[in-house]
Amino acid sequence: MLSEDPVYKYLDDAGITPSQSKMYQKQTIIDAITRKMGKVSLGIMCKGPYLSEIRIGLRGSESDIAVPSSDLYLPSSCPRYGISYPPPHNHTTQGRERDFLVKQA
C-alpha cells in the first residue's frame, strides 16, 4: 500500500505548503508529485477552490503489489489556477494534521 506521507513531502519539497494566502496551479501540484514518483496517473480533486484529494493511479501486479500506473484516466475537479491549500484544521494522520486526502485509485 502506498503511504500518503511521501505525497505531502513531495509537495513540501516543491514549496507547496499550507497557506492562508498562497494559491497554486494544478500543473505545479502534478509536477511536484511526478518529479518524485515518475510518470503516474493523478486526479487532483477540489471542493470549490480548496485542495481536497489527490488520487494516484495504481495497478496490481502478479505479486499483488500495487504499483504506480501512468495509463489510467483519473478525472480532476480542480481548476487550472487558483487552488488553495489552507493550513490544516480538522484531519490528523499519524500525529500530523492534514486537510486533503491521498487515495489510491
Side-chain angles (χ1 to χ4, degrees):
M1 179 174 201
L2 179 71
S3 169
E4 67 184 44
D5 288 322
V7 174
Y8 292 96
K9 181 169 176 13
Y10 301 160
L11 295 177
D12 188 62
D13 288 350
I16 301 170
T17 58
S19 170
Q20 293 285 15
S21 59
K22 287 185 185 176
M23 301 296 261
Y24 299 98
Q25 295 179 20
K26 182 168 59 174
Q27 192 61 50
T28 303
I29 294 169
I30 291 169
D31 290 347
I33 297 168
T34 58
R35 188 175 301 115
K36 300 288 187 165
M37 292 187 74
K39 191 173 179 185
V40 62
S41 297
L42 295 172
I44 310 299
M45 308 303 290
C46 287
K47 290 182 181 176
Y50 302 103
L51 180 62
S52 63
E53 190 174 306
I54 296 176
R55 297 177 181 174
I56 300 172
L58 300 174
R59 287 199 187 274
S61 69
E62 292 178 13
S63 61
D64 291 328
I65 297 173
V67 293
S69 175
S70 62
D71 61 349
L72 298 173
Y73 171 74
L74 298 177
S76 291
S77 64
C78 288
R80 289 177 63 193
Y81 304 97
I83 298 172
S84 178
Y85 178 15
H89 58 83
N90 289 331
H91 307 285
T92 303
T93 302
Q94 297 178 358
R96 293 176 58 196
E97 292 183 349
R98 306 283 169 73
D99 247 8
F100 70 86
L101 178 66
V102 176
K103 287 180 68 174
Q104 299 175 24

